[in-house]
Amino acid sequence: MAYRQKHKRPTRFDYDLIVIGSGSGGGVAATASARKGKKVAIIEAGAIGGECPNFGCVPTKSLLGAAEAYHNAKNAGKYGVKVRSVDFDYRQVKAWKDSRVHNTGTHEGTKAYKRAGVDVHKGRAHFLDKWTVSIGKKRFTASKFLIATGTYNVIPPIEGLKQTGFITYKEAIDLEKLPKSIFIIGGGAIGCEFAQIFNTFGVRVHIAEFMDHLLPKEDTEVGALVGQLFEREKIHVHTTTKVIEVKATTKGKEVIYIEGGKTRRATVEEVLLATGKGAMTDMGLENAGVKYSQRSIPTNKRMQTSAAHIYAAGDVTGPYMFTHMASYQSRIAAHNMWSRKKREADYHAVPRCVFVTPEAASVGLTESELNDKNIEYQKALVPIGVVGRSNTSDQSDGFVKVLASHNGVILGASIVAPRAGEMIHELTLACQLGLKAHQIEQTIHAFPTWSQAVRSACARIISF
C-alpha cells in the first residue's frame, strides 16, 4: 500500500544513514556504518535496545530460568539431595528478571550509541519525502535509511476482549503478583513459554491454539509432545480451538471457546493474549515510495525496500521474528549500503528455538513444507532416551528428527531435548552447507552428551 511521489534529491544531507529503531535490526547496521566513518543517527520512539532486551528474549528467558530453578529444587529429592523447604517470592523473582535486563546495559543504550559515534534522537519518525523524516517539528535528511521498527500485537476480533481487558507479554513480564488462574490465547512460542512460567509458579493455566497442535509452525511431533508434557504438568491444553468471547463475571473473566466443535467455558482471573503481530509501518511510508502491508515491509534479498535507498530489517520485514534474524538482516543491509560487492539474505537454514522444558528447536524445512513443495524426502526420528546422558540425567522426554533428501542431504531437523537450543546448531550448519547425514554420523560425538542423539538420527538416513 504505497504510491510514489517525485522529489528532488538534496545536494547535502544531515546524515549518511538514519536508522529508525534501536533494536538488533537497527543497532547492528548503525554501529557498523559508524565504524566505516559514516555519519549515523538512530531514531527511537520507545525503549532503547528494542524488544529483545527490554520485553522479549532477556526477561522471558530470565523468568524461565527462575522457574526451572524452582522446579529443580522441588524435585531434587530423587537425586538424594535433601531440600527441607522450597518456596518462592515472586517479587524477588521479578527483581531477578529486572537485574538481568539491567545487565544488558539498555538503560545506558543512548550513551553506548554515542560512544560508537551514533547520534540518538528520541521520538516518532515520519517520512515527509524520500529523503526527509520529521520528529515533531525537527527535520532530518539522509542519503540512506534503515527501517527497523519491529511489530505490535494484533488484537483478534474476539467479542468482549477489549472491554473485559487482557495482558500481553509486555505486562506479563512485570507482574509483581501472579494471578491464581490465566487463559492464554495463542499456542506459539510466546504462549508456550508463559504457560510454563505461570504453571511452574502455581498458576492454573489454560492455553488455546487454533491449529491442531501447539507450536503450529513446527513439525507435528514437536507441538504434540510439548502438549503432552504440558498436560502431564496439569496445564489445560486446548487445540483446534477458537476463542469467541470473553466477558466479565462476579467470579472473574469467563472465556467462551469452541473446541472440537463444542462450545466450552473457563473462568479465570486473567487473560494473556499471545496471538499474531503486525508490522509497525505508521511512519508516512507512502511519502517515501515504500510499499508495505499490515504484516510486513517487503524487501529484496539485499534488504532494500521498493525505494532502493531505504532498507528494512528485523521483525518489520519478516519472515522470521527472531533477534538473531534481525541482526543477520541488519549486517546484510549495512554491507550493501556501502559496498560494491553485494550480499543476499539466505533463509534456508534459520534456527528456531522455544525455551520451554525440555527445549524445542528446529531448522530448515518442516515435513509439511516438504509435502507442500512436493519434495521427496526421508526421515529418521530417535528418542533421546537412547543416549547415555538421558540415563545419567533421568530425563527421557524428547527426540531428534532429521529430514533429508533422497540421497541424504539434510533439509531440516527438529529436536525436543533438555539442551535442544544448543544441539540444533550442528544441524543448522549441515543445512547451511548442504551436508549429508552420513557426514554427521561419521563425526565423533562425545559420550555422554545429548548430541549423540543427533548422530543416532543421522545414522538412520540413507546417504549416497
Side-chain angles (χ1 to χ4, degrees), residues 62-281:
S62 300
L63 291 173
L64 282 162
E68 184 178 14
Y70 177 55
H71 177 271
N72 289 343
K74 288 198 302 179
N75 292 277
K78 69 178 180 180
Y79 299 103
V81 178
K82 295 182 179 180
V83 181
R84 298 188 184 282
S85 177
V86 180
D87 202 355
F88 68 91
D89 180 336
Y90 198 76
R91 289 180 184 271
Q92 292 184 20
V93 171
K94 178 184 178 297
W96 157 259
K97 180 270 298 181
D98 291 341
S99 71
R100 301 307 93 190
V101 172
H102 184 273
N103 278 2
T104 66
T106 55
H107 63 290
E108 294 186 341
T110 298
K111 292 180 182 179
Y113 276 126
K114 287 182 178 179
R115 286 196 296 269
V118 178
D119 292 344
V120 177
H121 302 287
K122 290 288 290 180
R124 191 168 297 280
H126 186 84
F127 280 96
L128 300 178
D129 58 43
K130 297 174 73 170
W131 316 101
T132 311
V133 292
S134 65
I135 311 171
K137 295 182 179 180
K138 297 180 180 179
R139 296 187 178 192
F140 301 97
T141 59
S143 62
K144 298 184 189 302
F145 292 87
L146 173 63
I147 301 169
T149 46
T151 58
Y152 66 93
N153 291 301
V154 175
I155 303 174
I158 298 172
E159 184 179 347
L161 180 62
K162 288 184 180 179
Q163 295 86 339
T164 309
F166 60 90
I167 62 172
T168 69
Y169 61 94
K170 288 188 176 181
E171 293 78 32
I173 61 170
D174 279 333
L175 292 174
E176 294 193 355
K177 181 182 178 182
L178 292 173
K180 293 181 179 179
S181 55
I182 195 164
F183 197 107
I184 299 173
I185 305 175
I190 294 173
C192 286
E193 289 182 359
F194 274 103
Q196 192 150 70
I197 291 168
F198 284 123
N199 181 71
T200 302
F201 288 119
V203 179
R204 180 168 57 86
V205 178
H206 292 260
I207 183 169
E209 169 55 48
F210 182 75
M211 302 302 287
D212 62 0
H213 61 88
L214 297 179
L215 303 174
K217 292 183 179 180
E218 305 303 340
D219 267 328
T220 302
E221 294 95 334
V222 175
L225 179 56
V226 170
Q228 291 168 16
L229 297 177
F230 276 11
E231 289 177 337
R232 192 172 74 188
E233 296 171 7
K234 308 303 182 185
I235 296 173
H236 302 279
V237 178
H238 311 282
T239 54
T240 320
T241 296
K242 181 179 181 181
V243 176
I244 58 174
E245 185 179 359
V246 180
K247 60 183 181 181
T249 70
T250 56
K251 295 181 179 180
K253 298 177 181 181
E254 185 179 46
V255 181
I256 304 169
Y257 55 97
I258 299 173
E259 180 178 9
K262 295 182 179 180
T263 301
R264 304 179 187 276
R265 300 167 186 266
T267 300
V268 294
E269 187 176 327
E270 190 56 88
V271 172
L272 171 65
L273 185 63
T275 50
K277 291 186 174 184
M280 293 282 285
T281 57

Side-chain angles (χ1 to χ4, degrees), residues 422-443:
E422 316 303 327
M423 296 166 65
I424 198 64
H425 292 98
E426 178 178 18
L427 291 161
T428 299
L429 184 64
C431 282
Q432 182 70 29
L433 300 181
L435 300 182
K436 292 186 176 182
H438 79 270
Q439 292 174 288
I440 292 180
E441 186 267 328
Q442 293 174 4
T443 300

